[in-house]
Amino acid sequence: MVIKLHRYYGDAEVTKAVMEVMLDGESEPRMVCEAREAAFRDYRESFAGASRFCLPVGRWKLKVGQSPYGPMGLRVARCPGHRQVFIGWKWTRQWLEGEVLIGEPVFRYYTDEEGNEVEYPPKRRIGNGEEVFRRLDRLVYEAYGRGEEFWLEVENGLVTAENGI
């Protein structure tokens, strides 16, 4: 199983991404949702305080096992600046240090000069995290039963050091 985080927005508070989940041998994602991490910073090497920021860009091994979210929870066990970063959800939080929170997108719109409603990604929120997590959990069980390895691939996409913090 490969989980891809395609980041599209980041600031001093939150990093926003579209998450795709693909099982081995499949070219199309089985699941697409929104993901949230802590504050954006573009880095690849550890530094003091790195755990207060989003995960670094790269490909990270995921461990399957007991987590706050269930017996088959996913976590990045180790990568530069981070240990035990869980994938999960919270009722009341949009982001949380040390976790990748998932959910459905809750779009925010504004009206442009021509009177058109335009989606505004920096204000996009997540909701319905519990249901989205249940869908991910079913895929984890399926992939685990097939003996797959689990990976998280992180890319900054549209977020850069110039338009993020």
Side-chain angles (χ1 to χ4, degrees):
M1 171 183 277
V2 175
I3 297 176
K4 296 181 179 184
L5 291 181
H6 304 284
R7 293 180 178 147
Y8 63 85
Y9 178 80
D11 63 22
E13 182 178 309
V14 65
T15 303
K16 300 180 180 189
V18 172
M19 185 174 106
E20 295 180 335
V21 180
M22 293 188 284
L23 275 61
D24 287 353
E26 296 179 352
S27 59
E28 294 296 317
R30 283 271 197 106
M31 179 177 148
V32 177
C33 65
E34 286 283 313
R36 298 292 182 269
E37 299 172 85
F40 178 75
R41 184 157 177 180
D42 189 330
Y43 68 99
R44 286 166 181 73
E45 302 293 326
S46 184
F47 59 91
S51 63
R52 294 189 312 244
F53 294 92
C54 60
L55 291 167
V57 170
R59 181 175 164 96
W60 312 112
K61 181 85 168 131
L62 287 168
K63 300 280 186 177
V64 179
Q66 189 61 41
S67 85
Y69 300 100
M72 293 292 281
L74 292 173
R75 69 187 183 282
V76 177
R78 182 176 286 205
C79 70
H82 297 270
R83 288 189 182 161
Q84 305 301 334
V85 176
F86 294 100
I87 297 177
W89 64 276
K90 297 279 188 227
W91 282 106
T92 59
R93 299 295 301 261
Q94 288 293 300
W95 62 271
L96 187 63
E97 286 180 15
E99 298 199 19
V100 177
L101 300 182
I102 61 175
E104 293 175 344
V106 177
F107 298 104
R108 301 292 176 148
Y109 297 91
Y110 71 95
T111 304
D112 66 10
E113 297 92 27
E114 298 166 1
N116 301 315
E117 277 197 344
V118 180
E119 204 262 326
Y120 188 55
K123 296 293 183 184
R124 187 182 301 163
R125 299 176 58 81
I126 55 173
N128 202 19
E130 185 176 15
E131 174 57 33
V132 172
F133 185 80
R134 280 197 297 257
R135 289 184 4 230
L136 175 63
D137 202 37
R138 285 191 295 272
L139 292 175
V140 169
Y141 274 95
E142 181 180 339
Y144 189 84
R146 292 166 45 173
E148 295 184 15
E149 289 188 340
F150 292 79
W151 294 92
L152 177 68
E153 295 178 358
V154 180
E155 67 175 34
N156 281 341
L158 300 174
V159 184
T160 65
E162 291 77 41
N163 68 8
I165 296 298

